[in-house]
């Protein structure tokens, strides 16, 4: 059901400004309501949207109606922050119809983030293959991470959270917890993964020292992989992801524990990466895209982040990249906040072929932003 809200918004808050902030105007349309705890979505080449629901379902929205649950999903552990997580269409989906999805699996006392793929035909999954299970199964039902992104070589990267109570695993290369994982599209391990030849390291690991990364986006123009992730109380981050690097958690952080207890007295240490963006207080970032599209040309090359706690769409305006030693480098120009008026916890963001923006909310909505 479509509910035209006829709301036109412009920038509400500029948190800091090194140059004039980008301002764009749009109208919002609520395309779908009544979703069950939606978490992730992916856009198919024909414009259909596949949406995950944390209770273990996939749904297809074709622009007019929402399908019944897609059949063939493996058993999902729905509890705490777990359940059905992200979904991503293969870059060659038009020819192979392959979907990739992450989900929590196991029991309340032994669980972890899994990755599977399957072929989608009509509304049925077939040839379901589990491509990844974590090396360590945890008791807690928190910090699963799970966001998926494909790289230009058709390898894929996805996050595995630290499990909350197991934060020390983020620095342990024998554990998958607190890591970004990189695999080939068939689930095998790329031969150029950074730790593949290192003794006492899991060969799937791409980067480490992460807490709960829930946004991944590859910038096709700058050749940069961006991630955003939840800090504790303070210290939410946007990071530029490079293979083998240590992003510091929990050895360094700009946040403290929810109780106020100090996690680390250090903001920086040698050989640990600093974030591109540090959000203190926490906005609770949940997904990220690098915008390229015709609908809002002023946004091209900038980051859009969804936020849960702050209930907003956060635009991070970037400078044009500078090439240093063959590597693209960017700086932040400004941040601007949108959509606080809707009072929604925004869970995921996607773009269609024209650059219109789609947002999932924890209240069960799919919302479209398009030029007014």
């Amino acid at each position: 059901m479509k509910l035209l809200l006829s709301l036109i918004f412009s920038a509400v808050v500029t948190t800091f400004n090194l140059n004039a902030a980008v301002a764009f105007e749009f109208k919002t349309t609520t395309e779908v309501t009544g979703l069950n705890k939606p978490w992730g979505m992916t856009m198919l080449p024909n414009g259909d949207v596949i949406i995950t629901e944390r209770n273990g379902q996939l749904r297809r929205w074709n622009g007019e109606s929402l399908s019944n649950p897609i059949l063939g999903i493996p058993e999902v552990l729905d509890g705490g922050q777990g359940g059905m997580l992200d979904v991503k269409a293969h870059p060659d989906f038009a020819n192979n119809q392959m979907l990739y999805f992450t989900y929590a699996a196991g029991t309340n006392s032994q669980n972890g983030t899994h990755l599977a793929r399957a072929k989608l035909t009509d509304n049925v999954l077939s040839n379901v293959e589990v491509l990844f299970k974590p090396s360590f199964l945890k008791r807690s039902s928190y910090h699963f991470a799970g966001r998926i992104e494909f790289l230009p070589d058709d390898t894929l990267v996805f996050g595995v959270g630290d499990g909350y109570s197991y934060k020390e695993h983020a620095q342990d290369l024998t554990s998958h917890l607190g890591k970004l994982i990189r695999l080939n599209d068939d689930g095998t391990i790329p031969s150029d993964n950074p730790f593949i030849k290192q003794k006492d390291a899991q060969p799937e690991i791409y980067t480490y020292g992460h807490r709960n990364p829930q946004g991944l986006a590859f910038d096709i123009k700058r050749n940069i992989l961006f991630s955003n992730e939840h800090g504790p109380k303070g210290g939410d981050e946007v990071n530029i992801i490079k293979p083998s690097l240590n992003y510091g958690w929990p050895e360094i952080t700009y946040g403290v524990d929810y109780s106020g207890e100090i996690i680390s007295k250090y903001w920086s240490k040698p050989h640990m990466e600093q974030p591109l963006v540090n959000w203190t207080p926490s906005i609770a970032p949940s997904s990220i895209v690098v915008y390229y599209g015709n609908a809002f040309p002023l946004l091209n090359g900038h980051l859009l982040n969804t936020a849960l706690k702050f209930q907003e769409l956060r635009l991070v305006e970037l400078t044009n990249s500078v090439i240093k030693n063959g590597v693209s480098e960017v700086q932040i120009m400004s941040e601007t906040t949108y959509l606080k008026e809707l009072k929604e916890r925004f869970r995921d963001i996607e773009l269609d072929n024209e650059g219109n923006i789609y947002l999932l909310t924890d209240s069960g909505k799919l919302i479209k932003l398009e030029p007014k």
Side-chain angles (χ1 to χ4, degrees):
M1 184 174 79
K2 294 186 178 183
L3 301 174
L4 182 59
L5 300 181
S6 300
L7 297 175
I8 308 300
F9 295 112
S10 58
V12 177
V13 176
T14 300
T15 56
F16 64 87
N17 193 354
L18 303 179
N19 290 292
V22 167
F24 74 112
E25 294 186 336
F26 48 85
K27 64 181 179 182
T28 68
T29 306
T30 299
E31 303 281 1
V32 178
T33 60
L35 293 165
N36 190 330
K37 298 186 293 185
W39 202 95
M41 60 179 160
T42 190
M43 192 75 58
L44 301 185
N46 68 352
D48 287 3
V49 183
I50 303 296
I51 301 169
T52 69
E53 296 177 312
R54 277 177 45 209
N55 63 351
Q57 296 184 154
L58 284 176
R59 309 288 288 273
R60 183 200 292 258
W61 179 75
N62 64 7
E64 296 295 333
S65 62
L66 188 67
S67 74
N68 292 324
I70 291 171
L71 302 177
I73 301 297
E75 186 174 355
V76 170
L77 177 65
D78 177 20
Q81 295 174 350
M84 194 72 176
L85 301 172
D86 203 18
V87 61
K88 196 75 173 180
H90 190 282
D92 194 29
F93 180 89
N95 292 314
N96 63 25
Q97 291 81 53
M98 297 301 294
L99 285 181
Y100 293 71
F101 48 94
T102 51
Y103 59 102
T107 66
N108 289 330
S109 60
Q110 287 190 310
N111 62 74
T113 304
H114 288 46
L115 172 78
R117 72 170 181 175
K119 185 174 182 178
L120 177 66
T121 304
D122 297 324
N123 283 333
V124 178
L125 293 179
S126 62
N127 302 322
V128 178
E129 300 175 83
V130 178
L131 303 182
F132 173 86
K133 298 179 181 180
S135 60
F136 178 86
L137 297 178
K138 55 190 179 57
R139 291 183 62 88
S140 68
S141 56
Y142 301 100
H143 294 191
F144 289 92
R147 200 67 69 190
I148 307 168
E149 180 67 309
F150 274 92
L151 303 182
D153 59 2
D154 284 351
T155 63
L156 60 94
V157 175
F158 63 98
V160 176
D162 71 345
Y164 183 67
S165 300
Y166 305 89
K167 57 180 177 290
E168 68 277 2
H169 281 241
Q171 291 294 317
D172 181 359
L173 291 175
T174 68
S175 171
H176 288 121
L177 297 187
K179 310 300 191 301
L180 292 181
I181 303 299
R182 177 174 175 249
L183 298 174
N184 292 316
D185 62 356
D186 63 357
T188 58
I189 301 169
S191 60
D192 59 348
N193 263 9
F195 301 106
I196 193 167
K197 296 181 180 179
Q198 182 170 323
K199 186 179 179 180
D200 298 327
Q202 296 291 344
E204 299 91 348
I205 294 173
Y206 195 57
T207 58
Y208 64 110
H210 299 283
R211 185 174 180 267
N212 193 19
Q214 291 198 355
L216 280 173
F218 187 78
D219 187 329
I220 58 174
K221 303 290 187 180
R222 298 185 181 98
N223 199 37
I224 292 175
L225 179 61
F226 290 97
S227 172
N228 64 25
E229 70 177 85
H230 294 274
K233 188 177 181 180
D236 292 349
E237 299 178 350
V238 174
N239 286 299
I240 292 176
I241 300 300
K242 299 178 183 178
S244 83
L245 296 187
N246 181 356
Y247 289 82
W249 175 258
E251 295 294 318
I252 59 173
T253 179
Y254 288 91
V256 297
D257 194 41
Y258 298 113
S259 66
E261 181 180 352
I262 300 299
I263 296 168
S264 172
K265 62 182 180 181
Y266 298 105
W267 290 349
S268 65
K269 281 187 177 182
H271 311 299
M272 294 184 180
E273 298 304 300
Q274 285 292 299
L276 176 68
V277 179
N278 161 37
W279 284 310
T280 301
S282 294
I283 70 169
S286 52
S287 63
I288 186 173
V289 295
V290 188
Y291 187 91
Y292 291 108
N294 296 324
F296 303 106
L298 289 176
L299 297 184
N300 281 324
H302 302 313
L303 304 179
L304 292 171
N305 301 265
T306 55
L308 301 169
K309 180 181 178 181
F310 269 35
Q311 298 182 330
E312 66 185 28
L313 180 64
R314 178 71 66 95
L315 168 66
V316 177
E317 186 181 356
L318 302 178
T319 61
N320 291 328
S321 59
V322 176
I323 307 298
K324 293 184 178 180
N325 299 320
V327 177
S328 295
E329 294 187 1
V330 296
Q331 293 182 332
I332 305 165
M333 295 176 65
S334 67
E335 291 190 31
T336 312
T337 294
Y338 296 86
L339 293 180
K340 274 190 173 294
E341 292 87 347
L342 294 187
K343 297 181 180 180
E344 296 279 3
R345 287 167 55 89
F346 295 104
R347 179 61 65 174
D348 196 17
I349 185 169
E350 270 284 351
L351 307 176
D352 67 15
N353 292 332
E354 297 301 318
N356 297 308
I357 299 165
Y358 288 80
L359 299 166
L360 280 180
T361 73
D362 276 4
S363 67
K365 298 174 184 174
L366 176 66
I367 297 175
K368 180 181 181 181
L369 276 60
E370 58 188 329
K372 65 174 185 176

